[in-house]
Amino acid sequence: MINKQRLIDEFLELVQIDSPSSKEGKVAQVLVEKLEEIGCEVIIDDAGVKAGGETGNVIATLKGNREGKKLLFSSHMDTVSPGVGIKPIIDEANGIIKSDGTTVLGSDDKAGIAAILEGLRTVKENDVKHSDIQVVFSIWEEGGLFGAKYLDYSKLNSDYAFVLDSGGSPGEIITQAPAQDAIKVKITGKPAHAGLQPENGISSIMVASRAIENMKLLRIDKETTANIGIVKGGIATNIVMPELEIVAEARSLSEEKLDAQTNHMVETFKNAAAEFGAQIEIETNRAYAPFTVCEDDAIVELAKKAFSNMNIEGHTASTGGGSDTNILNKNGIKAINLGIGMKNAHTLEEYIAIEDLVNSAVMVSELIKEA
């Protein structure tokens, strides 16, 4: 029932509308028009004002014509950098759509948006009876999940939420994802001339090096990871580095393990600063909570039934990445993240198989039918 060419054309259209994080205004207006054409009631909330972006989340409601579980479908509108001036290429020989190699493709997450739109159209065009359906196209998911955090939850009344934002092919059901702590560190040492009186200085980079040398990083255990992501400092080679800023993170499926890892990182930085006589400022923030949905939960069974209708075996999995799914669950809406086939996301080699794009749209329509 899916109109394959229409789906491909719409995906190509969407990825060519620039929408870096906080700059989703143009694509939001296009999506409002598309959703209204389908028959949805559409609003834009005030998340953009709260987050400091140019638009809010697009929230749409398609009224149902039968009883059943009320479903929410969600994908995010923003893309990572470099994501301006995307030029998608259809590689017919390999059955994929890719970028031209100078930018990301933006299938993360406009493939999810295109699949939702096509799934809704298919349901409408074939007069499929359905319960109430809601759609959220969120802002600024990349780098902070700000759209979901500032989403106007008073506008939602859905029983289950399906987030289309995972890299596995359709059939993948993400039922577990970690919490994340953001860690910001500022080390203040003492400047000195590096050639004349280096012994009079306190090198902030040496403090950081000592801390990192004694720190457990990368893969901690099967549930926990940690990483130093950004290091900024220095004035000139002839000055002992007086200040240094570090941005790090820790993640875990277990909040107890996450607390332990974050505390370990904080204490290691403090100990190194004390050893060298440097000053240190550390800020930690729980960016988002973890979520776990039981494998025998009704929402998982619904997804597996939809996949069965497609002759696809649904399977559950956990992920090391956060998504809007974490925030929806935290706000009382049971949500799972579904694979839509985007590969090598956040790189210049990003691509999506056309078959996965089509199956993602079929998945949306089958979920609606089965609800």
Side-chain angles (χ1 to χ4, degrees), residues 145-195:
L145 310 180
F146 295 116
K149 288 178 180 177
Y150 294 123
L151 178 62
D152 187 348
Y153 287 90
S154 71
K155 305 299 183 184
L156 306 183
N157 65 348
S158 300
D159 298 304
Y160 299 147
F162 298 96
V163 179
L164 278 66
D165 189 22
S166 189
S169 293
E172 179 192 69
I173 305 166
I174 299 296
T175 56
Q176 193 174 34
Q180 184 197 84
D181 280 351
I183 304 166
K184 295 183 179 180
V185 181
K186 181 179 180 181
I187 301 169
T188 303
K190 181 182 177 183
H193 194 292

Side-chain angles (χ1 to χ4, degrees), residues 41-247:
E41 300 173 4
V42 189
I43 63 168
I44 293 179
D45 70 10
D46 63 353
V49 175
K50 295 176 179 177
E54 65 182 25
T55 184
N57 302 301
V58 176
I59 304 173
T61 302
L62 185 63
K63 292 296 185 181
N65 47 28
R66 66 162 171 82
E67 295 297 316
K69 291 294 184 182
K70 298 185 287 292
L71 304 187
L72 169 67
F73 294 95
S74 181
S75 294
H76 62 87
M77 296 183 285
D78 61 317
T79 58
V80 298
S81 297
V84 174
I86 294 173
K87 298 178 179 62
I89 296 172
I90 298 178
D91 181 348
E92 295 184 0
N94 293 300
I96 64 172
I97 303 174
K98 60 184 181 180
S99 78
D100 67 354
T102 63
T103 68
V104 298
L105 173 63
S107 59
D108 178 12
D109 194 19
K110 288 177 179 175
I113 294 175
I116 292 169
L117 292 173
E118 183 60 28
L120 291 179
R121 287 197 191 93
T122 300
V123 165
K124 289 281 290 185
E125 291 170 355
N126 290 275
D127 296 320
V128 174
K129 298 296 182 182
H130 62 85
S131 55
D132 287 353
I133 303 165
Q134 291 192 298
V135 174
V136 171
F137 293 142
S138 64
I139 62 168
W140 212 334
E141 190 269 354
E142 305 290 359
L145 310 180
F146 295 116
K149 288 178 180 177
Y150 294 123
L151 178 62
D152 187 348
Y153 287 90
S154 71
K155 305 299 183 184
L156 306 183
N157 65 348
S158 300
D159 298 304
Y160 299 147
F162 298 96
V163 179
L164 278 66
D165 189 22
S166 189
S169 293
E172 179 192 69
I173 305 166
I174 299 296
T175 56
Q176 193 174 34
Q180 184 197 84
D181 280 351
I183 304 166
K184 295 183 179 180
V185 181
K186 181 179 180 181
I187 301 169
T188 303
K190 181 182 177 183
H193 194 292
L196 299 178
Q197 296 176 317
E199 60 277 356
N200 290 342
I202 299 175
S203 172
S204 60
I205 191 66
M206 290 180 68
V207 175
S209 298
R210 182 62 54 83
I212 293 169
E213 177 187 4
N214 294 309
M215 196 176 293
K216 295 180 290 185
L217 290 171
L218 302 182
R219 173 63 63 185
I220 310 304
D221 59 37
K222 66 179 182 179
E223 295 184 319
T224 312
T225 61
N227 185 53
I228 304 293
I230 301 171
V231 178
K232 296 191 298 183
I235 301 171
T237 61
N238 64 350
I239 301 174
V240 174
M241 188 184 294
E243 287 188 350
L244 183 69
E245 294 182 356
I246 293 173
V247 183

Side-chain angles (χ1 to χ4, degrees), residues 4-14 16 90:
K4 178 179 176 180
Q5 191 58 54
R6 177 174 64 188
L7 172 60
I8 292 171
D9 290 343
E10 187 157 63
F11 173 68
L12 297 176
E13 174 193 355
L14 292 174
Q16 292 180 86
I90 298 178

